């Protein structure tokens, strides 16, 4: 009886092993078929391409999954506690920012960015690009402002020359830049290898002895983002796009770079401080945080992998990781989605608390500085004040201009904002001493800047004129740009 039982168990074990081997064989076969499918896509493409291909739709036949998810960047339904995919009027939310940017086009209009499918439309619509063809006089922006808006840009750069692209008026390329951020911005169209298309990134790396082309694939999954989501400035009369990374990527290193050049983006209209306007140092801030330090790329969180039809591919619906926590955060962290979401909000709330204090103190300091000038303060008396205002505002702007900074590197952003607050308070103390020397002791009278409209009126802006000119520009000039592009045979993804 015992021998029969053992014999039966042996056959059961053998049969079970055969089933497992069979299943494993099917899995291996399936994997090989999937790999073969992926290889066949690259080796037998329906639409072979080479060079910069502006029309994103040309990639759809060979990469339908990626293309369909890329089209979803048009979606604006996502919303979290501190950000969204909608164009939110930040100046309406934070009127102090109108005061901080007095004398600069950002005081006219500043909205949160939408998805990549809206890149061209949004740069046309913002008041900051003016209304060329409607208003007379010099345009407020150069051609450089188109740089990150789509694959037509590297095409025009190749045709016209990089320097010529930058130094032209913004409107010169209006009938050329038609297709939104897409495939050729990040990929070699022939091999589909990751390949940044903007020269400024390559030039910045070359200046410090590095070669972008030698970066690893994982590094490239961030560098294709870093070509645009980074701090930059327009250098010289030619408005040449330049990344100020020669001394390093920290807020202090970039300040040192700018100070050595005696550079300023603008002179503040109230305080007369020489201001540095941070753009969006997303890559730099990401590198300072724990995820960047551990080698996590931008794509890991903003373009997570998907699997459909047995094929693994990258989700090109680039958006907040909070929209897909199960495919982003939870691939590494085992907490619940809600716990992870609240972890993010906790960091953002703490940074936002300091940000609110900075914006209030810094706006007050600019107004008090204007009051001191009006009371007869001299340049020698005001120079220490202006230096402190420059330092404070650079740090504030560096911290808030980078999308997602309060999560990417919350400790560093808290440090930067804390220093900004300190410099703003130092500036106010020095202004008080200057005013005392001119016989004024007491609180400086503050204007009513409780709304965007009141703040803009206080700094002397005629917003009805600007808004009217922009509406006319969108209804008359832009349609002509599109008509001209179509007549020239340039395909447009709309």
């Amino acid at each position: 009886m015992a021998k029969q039982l053992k014999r039966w168990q042996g056959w059961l074990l053998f049969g079970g092993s055969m089933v497992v081997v069979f299943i494993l064989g099917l899995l291996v076969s399936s994997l090989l078929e999937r790999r073969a499918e992926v290889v066949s896509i690259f080796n037998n493409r329906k639409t072979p391409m080479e060079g910069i291909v502006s029309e994103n739709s040309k990639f759809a036949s060979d990469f339908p999954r990626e293309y369909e998810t890329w089209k979803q960047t048009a979606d604006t339904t996502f919303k979290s506690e501190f950000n969204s995919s909608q164009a939110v009027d930040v100046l309406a939310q934070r009127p102090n920012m109108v005061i901080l940017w007095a004398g600069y086009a950002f005081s006219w209009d500043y909205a949160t960015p939408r998805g990549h499918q809206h890149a061209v439309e949004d740069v046309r619509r913002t008041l900051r690009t003016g209304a060329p063809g409607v208003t007379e006089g010099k345009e407020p922006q150069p051609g450089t402002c188109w740089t990150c808006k789509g694959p037509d840009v590297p095409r025009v750069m190749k045709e016209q020359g990089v320097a010529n692209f930058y130094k032209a008026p913004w409107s010169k390329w209006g009938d050329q830049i038609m297709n939104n951020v897409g495939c050729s911005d990040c990929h070699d169209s022939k091999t589909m290898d990751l390949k940044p298309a903007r020269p400024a990134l390559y030039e910045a790396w070359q200046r410090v002895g590095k070669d972008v082309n030698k970066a690893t694939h994982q590094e490239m999954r961030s560098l294709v983002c870093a070509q645009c989501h980074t701090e930059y400035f327009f250098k010289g009369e030619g408005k040449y796009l330049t990344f100020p990374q020669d001394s390093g990527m920290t807020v202090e290193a970039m300040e040192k770079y700018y100070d050595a050049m005696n550079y300023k983006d603008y002179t503040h209209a109230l305080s007369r401080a020489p201001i540095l306007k941070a753009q969006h140092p997303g890559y730099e801030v990401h590198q300072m945080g724990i995820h960047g330090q551990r080698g996590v790329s931008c794509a890991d969180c903003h373009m997570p992998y998907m699997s459909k039809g047995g094929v693994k591919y990258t989700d090109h619906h680039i958006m907040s990781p909070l929209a897909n926590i199960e495919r982003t955060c939870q691939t590494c962290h085992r907490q619940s989605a809600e716990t992870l979401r609240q972890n993010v909000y906790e960091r953002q709330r703490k940074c936002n608390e300091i940000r609110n204090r900075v914006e209030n103190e810094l706006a007050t300091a600019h107004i008090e500085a204007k009051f001191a000038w009006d009371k007869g303060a001299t340049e020698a008396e005001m120079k220490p004040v202006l230096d402190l205002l420059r330092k404070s505002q650079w740090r504030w702007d560096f911290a808030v201009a980078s999308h997602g900074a309060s999560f990417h590197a919350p400790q560093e952003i808290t440090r930067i904002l804390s220093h900004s607050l300190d410099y703003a308070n130092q500036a106010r103390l020095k202004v008080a001493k200057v005013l005392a020397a001119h016989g004024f002791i007491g609180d400086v009278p503050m204007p009513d800047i409780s709304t965007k409209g009141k703040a803009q009126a206080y700094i002397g802006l005629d917003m009805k004129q600007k808004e009217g000119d922009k509406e006319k520009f969108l209804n008359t000039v832009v349609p002509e740009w599109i008509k001209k592009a179509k007549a020239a045979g340039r395909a447009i993804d709309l």
Side-chain angles (χ1 to χ4, degrees), residues 113-127:
R114 298 191 291 172
H116 284 171
Q117 282 263 28
H118 301 283
V120 173
E121 178 188 6
D122 286 352
V123 77
R124 290 172 182 163
R125 294 188 67 86
T126 178
L127 297 178

Side-chain angles (χ1 to χ4, degrees), residues 3-309:
K3 287 183 179 181
Q4 289 179 346
L5 182 61
K6 288 180 180 180
R7 189 180 299 115
W8 177 81
Q9 289 175 334
W11 281 108
L12 180 63
L13 181 62
F14 175 77
S17 298
M18 291 299 98
V19 171
V20 170
V21 169
F22 179 73
I23 292 173
L24 287 174
L26 289 177
L27 286 173
V28 170
S29 175
S30 176
L31 287 171
L32 289 174
E33 287 178 5
R34 293 171 192 172
R35 179 173 292 182
E37 178 184 349
V38 173
V39 170
S40 69
I41 291 173
F42 286 91
N43 293 340
N44 303 291
R45 289 172 60 176
K46 300 173 185 176
T47 313
M49 289 177 268
E50 194 166 349
I52 298 297
V53 179
S54 297
E55 302 90 334
N56 297 304
S57 58
K58 288 187 175 181
F59 292 85
S61 60
D62 288 320
F63 308 100
R65 301 172 182 86
E66 289 85 352
Y67 182 74
E68 286 303 313
T69 55
W70 167 81
K71 286 173 60 178
Q72 292 170 18
T73 60
D75 176 46
T76 59
T77 58
F78 175 77
K79 188 174 183 180
S80 68
E81 183 171 329
F82 285 96
N83 215 333
S84 70
S85 55
Q86 296 108 46
V88 177
D89 187 343
V90 180
L91 299 182
Q93 293 181 331
R94 297 174 171 273
N96 278 328
M97 292 173 68
V98 174
I99 304 302
L100 300 182
W101 286 328
Y104 201 61
F106 272 77
S107 65
W108 310 348
D109 177 29
Y110 178 55
T112 51
R114 298 191 291 172
H116 284 171
Q117 282 263 28
H118 301 283
V120 173
E121 178 188 6
D122 286 352
V123 77
R124 290 172 182 163
R125 294 188 67 86
T126 178
L127 297 178
R128 298 197 303 273
T129 53
V134 174
T135 58
E136 296 181 1
K138 185 179 179 180
E139 289 187 34
Q141 306 298 348
T144 324
C145 280
W146 286 110
T147 299
C148 286
K149 303 309 176 186
D152 283 306
V153 170
R155 173 184 63 78
V156 177
M157 284 181 169
K158 185 176 181 180
E159 294 170 357
Q160 304 294 330
V162 175
N164 289 332
F165 177 85
Y166 291 147
K167 69 183 180 182
W170 178 75
S171 63
K172 181 176 178 62
W173 311 123
D175 66 318
Q176 295 283 339
I177 315 301
M178 291 284 157
N179 298 288
N180 291 299
V181 177
C183 310
S184 271
D185 288 308
C186 302
H187 292 276
D188 181 301
S189 63
K190 182 178 182 179
T191 65
M192 295 310 290
D193 290 339
L194 291 172
K195 184 180 180 181
R198 303 302 185 277
L201 176 68
Y202 295 87
E203 292 161 356
W205 275 46
Q206 287 171 357
R207 290 197 302 272
V208 295
K210 297 193 296 183
D211 185 352
V212 172
N213 294 310
K214 293 181 179 179
T216 67
H217 177 71
Q218 182 66 359
E219 288 173 327
M220 279 295 191
R221 283 164 58 82
S222 288
L223 290 178
V224 290
C225 306
Q227 65 180 317
C228 290
H229 292 265
T230 189
E231 164 61 8
Y232 62 84
F233 73 108
F234 299 167
K235 189 173 185 177
E237 291 299 317
K239 304 300 181 184
Y240 200 94
L241 183 64
T242 305
F243 297 172
Q245 300 172 355
D246 298 32
S247 300
M249 294 191 183
T250 65
V251 67
E252 290 86 3
M254 291 188 177
E255 181 181 52
K256 178 182 177 182
Y257 175 94
Y258 285 132
D259 285 349
M261 298 169 52
N262 196 29
Y263 177 82
K264 64 178 178 181
D265 282 286
Y266 68 102
T267 298
H268 198 276
L270 303 179
S271 67
R272 306 184 198 176
I275 298 296
L276 294 173
K277 172 69 187 78
Q279 305 309 323
H280 32 66
Y283 177 70
E284 295 89 333
V285 173
H286 169 259
Q287 292 294 96
M288 298 173 198
I290 190 64
H291 291 90
Q293 292 168 3
R294 295 294 183 269
V296 178
S297 73
C298 302
D300 286 324
C301 299
H302 294 277
M303 302 174 66
Y305 288 116
M306 298 181 73
S307 183
K308 186 176 181 180

